[in-house]
Amino acid sequence: SMLLLALLLLGLLSPAGCPRTEPLSGSSDEPLFRGADRYDFAILVPAGTSECFWQFARQGGNFFFSFEVQRATGVATSRNILAMASDPSGFQLGASQDVRGQINFLTKETGFYQLCLDNRQNHFGFMQVYLNFGVYYDGFNAEKEQLAERKQLNDTLDAIKVSIWKLQGHIFHMWRFYNFARMRKGADSFLLESNYHYVNWWSMAQSCVIVLSGVLQLYFLKRLFKVQSSSKPRC
């Protein structure tokens, strides 16, 4: 029972609201669990709070971080959100405060890179944000490319490997463009749905106002032509 109580206290004292995409392994003897190299998902950022994530990257990689606010609730009409990216040392590498944006940089050290979304300016509603972030590595540098070109003349297998590397790079960039389209599609869908409900509610309200004004006008016109009955007999 004491062990369960200690675990419960540790869970309550641990920081909340900042999930890691790359959790550390439980034992030091086991290798570090790095997870996937790229992620894409939507998240709800509550009002007045911030959400942070960590992505593992090796040195010499190309880090990309794209986001788009799909919908926002509350009194404020602004859909801008603050997105920030920091290196493993805590140094800020880039920031963007807009409806949509992207932060790209080269990873100069190996470690966990922090990505944060700040919704503290909106105190009355949440924001649904679509995220697409990760890291990719070039299959070969200039020297390897020259070596591969030389081997293409003598070894067909090396030529096939180089072609596969290039094809994987093109597929990855097409995947990124596809995710950009998914971001815009989701945001446009929520915007059309909100406009649809807005038009319906305003049409109903205006119809009720028109009917009510007609009834009131008819009532007052009848009051103008109403004859007061007198109790005195006429001559």
Side-chain angles (χ1 to χ4, degrees):
S1 60
M2 295 296 294
L3 180 59
L4 292 176
L5 181 60
L7 292 175
L8 180 61
L9 290 175
L10 288 175
L12 292 175
L13 294 176
S14 61
C18 295
R20 281 180 179 268
T21 61
E22 307 287 347
L24 296 173
S25 58
S27 174
S28 59
D29 298 334
E30 298 178 359
L32 182 67
F33 175 70
R34 297 183 174 87
D37 286 335
R38 54 183 180 266
Y39 296 89
D40 60 295
F41 55 87
I43 183 174
L44 293 178
V45 185
T49 61
S50 61
E51 293 285 343
C52 296
F53 301 88
W54 282 265
Q55 170 67 41
F56 183 85
R58 298 192 303 270
Q59 184 180 10
N62 299 283
F63 203 102
F64 62 93
F65 175 35
S66 305
F67 68 95
E68 174 153 358
V69 179
Q70 294 183 320
R71 62 170 174 166
T73 62
V75 181
T77 57
S78 176
R79 294 168 53 206
N80 293 346
I81 193 169
L82 177 60
M84 297 172 290
S86 304
D87 63 5
S89 302
F91 180 75
Q92 185 173 327
L93 299 174
S96 176
Q97 187 169 7
D98 207 339
V99 177
R100 67 185 60 89
Q102 52 182 320
I103 302 173
N104 302 320
F105 54 88
L106 295 176
T107 56
K108 296 182 179 180
E109 55 181 315
T110 301
F112 289 97
Y113 287 78
Q114 186 184 37
L115 310 173
C116 290
L117 297 173
D118 194 341
N119 189 27
R120 295 177 183 175
Q121 291 185 353
N122 186 4
H123 299 283
F124 302 100
F126 66 86
M127 288 189 179
Q128 179 174 330
V129 188
Y130 191 92
L131 301 177
N132 178 23
F133 61 89
V135 59
Y136 66 95
Y137 307 93
D138 292 331
F140 50 88
N141 54 23
E143 295 180 358
K144 291 182 179 179
E145 186 176 0
Q146 293 178 0
L147 182 61
E149 289 178 354
R150 294 174 185 173
K151 289 184 177 180
Q152 285 180 6
L153 301 175
N154 301 323
D155 194 348
T156 306
L157 182 60
D158 287 338
I160 295 175
K161 288 182 179 179
V162 173
S163 300
I164 292 176
W165 285 342
K166 292 181 179 179
L167 181 61
Q168 288 178 347
H170 294 319
I171 292 175
F172 170 75
H173 289 293
M174 288 301 298
W175 175 81
R176 288 194 64 191
F177 291 139
Y178 169 72
N179 275 281
F180 290 151
R182 287 180 62 190
M183 289 183 185
R184 298 303 299 271
K185 179 183 178 181
D188 293 341
S189 176
F190 284 115
L191 181 60
L192 289 174
E193 185 177 355
S194 63
N195 290 339
Y196 173 76
H197 293 299
Y198 175 80
V199 170
N200 283 343
W201 278 107
W202 267 108
S203 299
M204 292 176 60
Q206 290 177 356
S207 299
C208 293
V209 169
I210 291 172
V211 173
L212 182 61
S213 64
V215 171
L216 291 176
Q217 287 178 4
L218 182 62
Y219 173 75
F220 285 112
L221 286 175
K222 290 180 66 176
R223 287 283 304 270
L224 291 176
F225 293 99
K226 186 176 181 181
V227 178
Q228 295 287 343
S229 60
S230 178
S231 57
K232 295 182 180 180
R234 295 182 180 181
C235 298

